[in-house]
Amino acid sequence: MNGYLHALVLIGAAAAAASALIAGAWKGLRALASFVARGERFFDDWNGTEGRPGVIARLDCSEARLERIEHELFPNSGNSLRDGLDRVEAHLTRLQDARE
């Protein structure tokens, strides 16, 4: 009977060790799957998807918007916001000088 008990303990220990290995492998595979999913999301963001442009396309769009904003902030063709503001300021200055 002592031999059977010894064998049963060994089988139990082996089963526990195998369970621990399987659980550790499962945890490692889940971490790897999560890492791969994050990498896929990064590359989808970088390259773009059907409904959303990639990083380079968004940067190009941002550069175009900044150029339009800069056009309005500096005196240039006479049609910018800054040119209109300068005209209003000059007109108010002339009105104030005429009043004095």
Side-chain angles (χ1 to χ4, degrees):
M1 179 97 165
N2 193 14
Y4 290 117
L5 185 61
H6 185 65
L8 189 58
V9 169
L10 286 176
I11 290 171
S19 297
L21 284 174
I22 290 170
W26 179 254
K27 187 175 180 179
L29 286 174
R30 286 185 60 201
L32 180 63
S34 174
F35 178 75
V36 168
R38 281 193 312 259
E40 287 177 355
R41 282 194 304 271
F42 169 78
F43 284 114
D44 284 345
D45 282 345
W46 185 263
N47 295 320
T49 58
E50 178 100 13
R52 186 168 182 243
V55 171
I56 302 301
R58 290 192 309 252
L59 285 175
D60 288 342
C61 180
S62 295
E63 287 177 3
R65 290 178 67 200
L66 283 175
E67 287 175 6
R68 289 193 308 266
I69 291 169
E70 284 180 350
H71 175 79
E72 295 297 325
L73 293 178
F74 299 102
N76 45 39
S77 63
N79 295 326
S80 70
L81 183 63
R82 174 62 188 264
D83 291 327
L85 184 62
D86 289 344
R87 283 192 300 272
V88 169
E89 184 181 17
H91 182 69
L92 287 175
T93 302
R94 282 194 305 271
L95 287 175
Q96 186 177 11
D97 289 344
R99 192 170 186 207
E100 292 175 351

